[in-house]
mmCIF file of all heavy atoms in Angstrom:
data_model
loop_
_atom_site.group_PDB
_atom_site.id
_atom_site.type_symbol
_atom_site.label_atom_id
_atom_site.label_comp_id
_atom_site.label_asym_id
_atom_site.label_seq_id
_atom_site.Cartn_x
_atom_site.Cartn_y
_atom_site.Cartn_z
ATOM 1 N N ALA A 25 -8.384 0.093 -3.062
ATOM 2 C CA ALA A 25 -9.296 -1.064 -2.797
ATOM 3 C C ALA A 25 -10.226 -1.332 -3.963
ATOM 4 O O ALA A 25 -10.362 -2.514 -4.392
ATOM 5 C CB ALA A 25 -10.095 -0.822 -1.526
ATOM 6 N N ARG A 26 -10.812 -0.309 -4.526
ATOM 7 C CA ARG A 26 -11.705 -0.502 -5.579
ATOM 8 C C ARG A 26 -11.081 -0.915 -6.892
ATOM 9 O O ARG A 26 -11.651 -1.616 -7.728
ATOM 10 C CB ARG A 26 -12.566 0.741 -5.834
ATOM 11 C CG ARG A 26 -13.436 1.032 -4.589
ATOM 12 C CD ARG A 26 -14.608 1.943 -4.914
ATOM 13 N NE ARG A 26 -15.155 2.518 -3.692
ATOM 14 C CZ ARG A 26 -15.866 1.836 -2.759
ATOM 15 N NH1 ARG A 26 -16.007 0.579 -2.850
ATOM 16 N NH2 ARG A 26 -16.323 2.411 -1.712
ATOM 17 N N SER A 27 -9.797 -0.527 -7.102
ATOM 18 C CA SER A 27 -9.050 -0.913 -8.315
ATOM 19 C C SER A 27 -8.463 -2.309 -8.201
ATOM 20 O O SER A 27 -8.015 -2.886 -9.190
ATOM 21 C CB SER A 27 -7.917 0.078 -8.551
ATOM 22 O OG SER A 27 -6.883 -0.092 -7.604
ATOM 23 N N GLY A 28 -8.411 -2.829 -6.966
ATOM 24 C CA GLY A 28 -7.837 -4.180 -6.807
ATOM 25 C C GLY A 28 -6.388 -4.093 -6.409
ATOM 26 O O GLY A 28 -5.756 -5.165 -6.082
ATOM 27 N N ALA A 29 -5.765 -2.883 -6.363
ATOM 28 C CA ALA A 29 -4.395 -2.743 -5.864
ATOM 29 C C ALA A 29 -4.269 -3.226 -4.427
ATOM 30 O O ALA A 29 -3.254 -3.772 -4.061
ATOM 31 C CB ALA A 29 -3.893 -1.323 -6.041
ATOM 32 N N LEU A 30 -5.351 -2.984 -3.707
ATOM 33 C CA LEU A 30 -5.444 -3.508 -2.301
ATOM 34 C C LEU A 30 -6.525 -4.619 -2.421
ATOM 35 O O LEU A 30 -7.695 -4.347 -2.505
ATOM 36 C CB LEU A 30 -5.839 -2.506 -1.344
ATOM 37 C CG LEU A 30 -4.819 -1.426 -1.047
ATOM 38 C CD1 LEU A 30 -5.386 -0.377 0.002
ATOM 39 C CD2 LEU A 30 -3.470 -1.972 -0.451
ATOM 40 N N PRO A 31 -6.100 -5.904 -2.436
ATOM 41 C CA PRO A 31 -7.155 -6.948 -2.570
ATOM 42 C C PRO A 31 -8.033 -7.168 -1.364
ATOM 43 O O PRO A 31 -7.624 -6.775 -0.235
ATOM 44 C CB PRO A 31 -6.294 -8.204 -2.795
ATOM 45 C CG PRO A 31 -4.949 -7.907 -2.212
ATOM 46 C CD PRO A 31 -4.792 -6.394 -2.333
ATOM 47 N N VAL A 32 -9.187 -7.716 -1.575
ATOM 48 C CA VAL A 32 -10.102 -8.029 -0.475
ATOM 49 C C VAL A 32 -9.297 -8.940 0.503
ATOM 50 O O VAL A 32 -8.635 -9.809 0.139
ATOM 51 C CB VAL A 32 -11.341 -8.803 -0.994
ATOM 52 C CG1 VAL A 32 -12.174 -9.308 0.129
ATOM 53 C CG2 VAL A 32 -12.138 -7.862 -1.861
ATOM 54 N N GLY A 33 -9.467 -8.546 1.792
ATOM 55 C CA GLY A 33 -8.739 -9.287 2.878
ATOM 56 C C GLY A 33 -7.376 -8.724 3.164
ATOM 57 O O GLY A 33 -6.756 -9.188 4.132
ATOM 58 N N TYR A 34 -6.880 -7.742 2.380
ATOM 59 C CA TYR A 34 -5.564 -7.200 2.705
ATOM 60 C C TYR A 34 -5.621 -6.517 4.128
ATOM 61 O O TYR A 34 -6.562 -5.755 4.366
ATOM 62 C CB TYR A 34 -5.263 -6.138 1.594
ATOM 63 C CG TYR A 34 -3.926 -5.417 1.880
ATOM 64 C CD1 TYR A 34 -2.732 -6.000 1.457
ATOM 65 C CD2 TYR A 34 -3.905 -4.193 2.514
ATOM 66 C CE1 TYR A 34 -1.519 -5.303 1.672
ATOM 67 C CE2 TYR A 34 -2.695 -3.561 2.753
ATOM 68 C CZ TYR A 34 -1.517 -4.064 2.317
ATOM 69 O OH TYR A 34 -0.382 -3.414 2.492
ATOM 70 N N LYS A 35 -4.647 -6.800 4.964
ATOM 71 C CA LYS A 35 -4.617 -6.269 6.262
ATOM 72 C C LYS A 35 -3.892 -4.860 6.228
ATOM 73 O O LYS A 35 -2.768 -4.748 5.822
ATOM 74 C CB LYS A 35 -3.849 -7.132 7.253
ATOM 75 C CG LYS A 35 -3.960 -6.699 8.651
ATOM 76 C CD LYS A 35 -3.365 -7.660 9.659
ATOM 77 C CE LYS A 35 -3.439 -7.125 11.103
ATOM 78 N NZ LYS A 35 -2.930 -8.049 12.015
ATOM 79 N N LEU A 36 -4.654 -3.872 6.671
ATOM 80 C CA LEU A 36 -4.155 -2.527 6.670
ATOM 81 C C LEU A 36 -3.255 -2.263 7.906
ATOM 82 O O LEU A 36 -3.420 -3.006 8.894
ATOM 83 C CB LEU A 36 -5.255 -1.512 6.714
ATOM 84 C CG LEU A 36 -6.180 -1.476 5.429
ATOM 85 C CD1 LEU A 36 -7.376 -0.595 5.719
ATOM 86 C CD2 LEU A 36 -5.348 -0.931 4.259
ATOM 87 N N PRO A 37 -2.344 -1.307 7.809
ATOM 88 C CA PRO A 37 -1.566 -1.060 9.052
ATOM 89 C C PRO A 37 -2.390 -0.619 10.153
ATOM 90 O O PRO A 37 -3.536 -0.114 9.916
ATOM 91 C CB PRO A 37 -0.616 0.106 8.550
ATOM 92 C CG PRO A 37 -0.726 0.174 7.042
ATOM 93 C CD PRO A 37 -2.034 -0.486 6.705
ATOM 94 N N THR A 38 -1.859 -0.645 11.372
ATOM 95 C CA THR A 38 -2.623 -0.121 12.522
ATOM 96 C C THR A 38 -2.750 1.398 12.364
ATOM 97 O O THR A 38 -1.955 2.052 11.650
ATOM 98 C CB THR A 38 -1.946 -0.411 13.804
ATOM 99 O OG1 THR A 38 -0.644 0.232 13.854
ATOM 100 C CG2 THR A 38 -1.727 -1.913 14.041
#
Side-chain angles (χ1 to χ4, degrees):
R26 296 198 197 294
S27 73
L30 292 177
V32 171
Y34 177 87
K35 186 173 182 178
L36 295 171
T38 64

